[in-house]
Every structure is written in structure tokens, then in C-alpha cells.
Amino acid sequence: MTITQDPWETLHTSALLGTDRRPLPATALPLADAVDQGDPATALLELAALAAVRRRAGALPVPAAEPPGPPAAEDTRPELPEPAARRLAVLLSGRTGSSGGGTLANLAELLPQWLGTARARGLRPPAALIPGLLDAARARSELRADAVALAGPLGRWLAEQNPDWRFVLRTTTPELPQQPTDDRLWHEGLFAERVTHLTLVRRRDPAAGLELLRGTWSTERAEDRLLFLDALQDGLSPADEPFLEAALGDRSKNVRATAAELLSTLPGSALARRMADRARAAVRLAGTGTHLLVTPPAECDAQMQRDGIAPKSPTGRGERAWWFGEVVAAAPLSVWPESTGLAPEQLLALRAGDSIDETSSSWADDLREAWARAAVRQQDADWARALLGPAPVPPGRGTRARAPRATGAPAKLLAVLPPEERAAWTAAFIEVHGLGEAFQLLGACTTPWTPPLSTAVVTALARAAASGAYPWSHSGVLGMTERALAPETAAAVEELAAGAAPDSAWSETFTRLAGTLRFRAAMLAELAG
């Protein structure tokens, strides 16, 4: 009898039907001569056991291949201390653990901090851990820059052998600069590869990157042109202005809008000057100097549309208010002190209206919102500071007014300020308003948080627990604390855990957080050692 199906399927069929109805074709099955054929049922089980082992043995051996090219370049960096290497193996495994009886946070969330710290210290992981490191970076793109730098020359060599790690060859780092040797990838590669290639060329030589894009611009799809324009943010300079000015006439409105936004970040560009003229016509200091006179555009003419202003509001606002906001947001912020002689704080204190005798809070809100967008776009710390206002002060500690409650705009403005100032402003906000509205502000702060900000967060968590709130009402902030709180606050969090009701949600939350902070403290100490 000839067996045409898989031996395992043959055994499976015989077991289902019974050996009385479907006798085993013993001579045609692999390894049949290794079992006793006296009892068909016993023979079936023995053959099944042998077949299972055979299936689990994996791939059959193949002839050895030639060694793949020259070995990796020598890596002269010092190797990780042994405890740090063991810690990396645990982090790469993604296992959760326990410390002092409490379950730790998801360790995968701590991996970015470990990688960044190890990279800053110029260390290299053991060769045996590099494949796992590259696998983690393949799954999580935010890890790639640090992982590729840590993997070093051996990581690049391994990526040449394994197509799953091709991203390594497309990742450039100061430690391992990737210099494109030709532009074949730009002309022949997949879209993602072309974007990466353009970005690398742009970082190495902005003029060469611009010329590369200019050469194929007219043949690119609209959605591709949009993303290619984003690559020009690296090294953006007045040399890019002629190309971007031409892109203002693109047939895609999204491309036109992106080109206009890039030009508005170049204060000396012709578009910025045009927007400045429109802004001066829309807002001027009233003769008495008591308020700003607002005259929004009466129409959105063809030149305004070419400069990226849509004639119809996509937000449902009135058209004139929309045009007004777009003009002010795209104008250089320097135009206002120059035209009025007033500092940002003084301008923000003025009323705004469409006549000398009447003021309108809506125009004041529109003006402030547009100035906020301009401050974020132009990364102007003076205007961001003025728009945020002074840090809030609890009642009884001073006379300063409380800052407005947090929304997305304050968080974006906060990100323009230096890191220490961001942390101090956010700590003051949390002291006054608690954690309920602080999630976006905390997300704008550099991690790990400064000790004062960390202390403010721990104090606010203690207040929340004492008030009877549930931990999950602050789940977003709690998730951030595990990777952002200063490890030095572990003792304070342990006190909160000890003071919480046994087996309560807060007791479990604080115990987990304290264990994670202790884990991070040990992790950083090992890297320092």
C-alpha cells in the first residue's frame, strides 16, 4: 500500500476509526520496524509517540553554508557590568516580577529608560543579548535609535544576515553614522525606505536632500509628497524657501497647507512677511493705548488661499474668525512688539474689540488662541511663558492669580519652556489643582521627573487616597509615575502603602509603585557601576 498523506494523519485516522476497521499499513510508515506489530493498538500508540518526537525535532539538517562575509567590526566600548546585563535579560523577556511582596509594573515599560541610560554611558551589551535587543526594537519603533546604538557594529552585521532586522541598516545614530552611498533606494525602494533615505540624506546634507526631492517631485503621488515635505524639517533654512514657495501652488490642499506651515517657521520668508502685513492690518493698538482694535479679514482672497488659509472653516467657527486666527497664528510673533512697542505680557493684558468703544471677549479669546499656536509653531519661550501666566499659588501663600485650568493648549505651551521650568510650573499646578487635570502637563515634562515635581505628585496621590477616590480615576497618571517618578521617592510611597487599609486598592497600587521605584533605582545603580 502506498501512503500519500502525512504519516501523522494516517495514524490519526486509524485511531479515530479503530485498528479493526483501519489496520495500520505498518510497512509504509516511517519507523514501523521499531515497534512490536503483535498488538495493533499498542503498535498504534508506539508509532504515534515516535511520530510526535519526529515532528518536534524541527528542521532536518542541511549542508553547512559558507561563512557570511567578513566579521563585524571591533566594538571598543566597555561591556555592561554583569548585574546590568542580567537586568537587561529580564527586561527583554517582558516578565513581570515582584519586590517586597508587591507585583512590579510591566517591565517592558521600563526598557526605554534602561536603553537610554546605557547608551548615554557608552556601554555595550553582551553579544548573546543583541538578537533579543533587535527583536524588541523591531516590535517597538520607539526603541530603535537607542537599541541600534547599543547593538553597535555587531548589530549592523547581524542585520545584514537577517531580513527581519533590516530597520537597523536604515537607522542612523551619532555612534554609527549611516552614510548613503547612492540614491538607488530613492528611485527603486518602497515608500517607507524612500522616506528613510530622504531623511538620512537631509540630515547629512540638506541641500542634497532638497535636490533629491526636487528631481522627482512632479511625479510623486499627493499623499507621498505630503510626507516627503515633512523630511524638510531637518535642516530647514532659507535655502528651502523657493521650493516651498512653489509648493504653495500644489494641486493638493494638504501639501499647500504643510508648505505654508513650514514657511511660517522661517521668520524671514516672504510668506511670513505677507502674514505679518495681514496681521498688522487685522490688529492694531487703539489710539488711547487701552485696548487692541481687531479688524478681521473681510474675505479670503486667492493670495491668502495660496498661503495655506482655507476659505471654509473646518472647525465650524465663523469664517472671519477662522481667517483671523490663521493669519495671526502664521505671522512672526516679533511683529507685535515691533508694531506696538509692548512686551507679550502687556499685550495679553489689553482688551480686544472691533471698535474703540466696544470690546469683545470672543475676539480676545481668538487672539490669544492664535498667539498660542504661533508660540508653539515658532518655539518662542517668551510668548509661551506669557501665555501660560505665572505658576499658580495656593490660597494664603501669595497674591498671584491662579493660572487657568489645564487643556491641550497649556501642555503644548509648556513643552516650549526649558525642562526645569516646565517641571516647576507643573508642580505648582498640581499643588493647587491636584492630578485630575495634570495628565497632559506631566506628559510634557522631561522624565525622570525632578525631585520637586515627583514630591508634588506623591503628595497629590496621598490626598487622592485620603479623599476616598479610587486609584483607577488616576490610572493615566499612575501609569506615568511608574516610569517617571524620581526613584528617590520610593520611601515616601512605601509609607503610603503602609498607611493604606490592608488589601485595599490603594494599598496594592502604592505597593506596586514602590516596588517599581526600587527596581528602577537598582537598575540605574547597576548601570552607574
Side-chain angles (χ1 to χ4, degrees), residues 278-435:
R278 295 178 184 123
R280 278 190 288 263
V283 182
R284 62 183 178 86
L285 189 64
T288 59
T290 58
H291 77 282
L292 297 169
L293 187 61
V294 175
T295 309
E299 63 174 340
C300 186
D301 58 31
Q303 188 60 48
M304 289 173 62
Q305 294 180 44
R306 185 178 184 275
D307 285 346
I309 300 178
K312 298 293 184 182
S313 169
T315 63
R317 297 168 62 189
E319 289 182 349
R320 296 188 71 194
W322 163 255
W323 302 333
F324 173 74
E326 291 298 284
V327 165
V328 174
L333 286 166
S334 59
V335 72
W336 307 111
E338 292 171 359
S339 61
T340 65
L342 300 177
E345 294 83 356
Q346 295 171 304
L347 286 163
L348 289 165
L350 296 178
R351 297 173 297 164
D354 50 15
S355 72
I356 294 178
D357 298 323
E358 298 181 7
T359 58
S360 167
S361 61
S362 64
W363 286 125
D365 292 343
D366 287 335
L367 186 57
R368 188 182 188 95
E369 188 270 340
W371 276 338
R373 284 196 286 145
V376 173
R377 184 181 296 180
Q378 299 171 35
Q379 292 292 287
D380 191 307
D382 290 336
W383 271 92
R385 195 174 289 116
L387 286 157
L388 280 168
V393 175
R397 294 196 190 176
T399 58
R400 286 183 292 173
R402 293 187 181 186
R405 298 223 167 196
T407 63
K412 293 178 181 178
L413 289 169
L414 195 67
V416 178
L417 302 181
E420 288 289 334
E421 190 174 353
R422 279 182 246 165
W425 200 97
T426 304
F429 182 93
I430 290 172
E431 189 174 0
V432 171
H433 297 300
L435 295 172

Side-chain angles (χ1 to χ4, degrees), residues 146-163:
D146 287 336
V148 169
L150 283 169
L154 179 56
R156 285 279 167 87
W157 185 88
L158 289 172
E160 292 172 352
Q161 322 306 323
N162 186 344

Side-chain angles (χ1 to χ4, degrees), residues 5 45 55 74 77 111 146 167 193 327 340 408 442 486-487 519-520 524 526:
Q5 63 183 135
L45 294 176
R55 285 163 63 92
E74 182 182 3
R77 296 174 299 172
L111 185 56
D146 287 336
F167 69 87
E193 294 172 330
V327 165
T340 65
L442 287 167
F519 184 97
R520 285 177 53 215
L524 297 175
E526 291 162 357

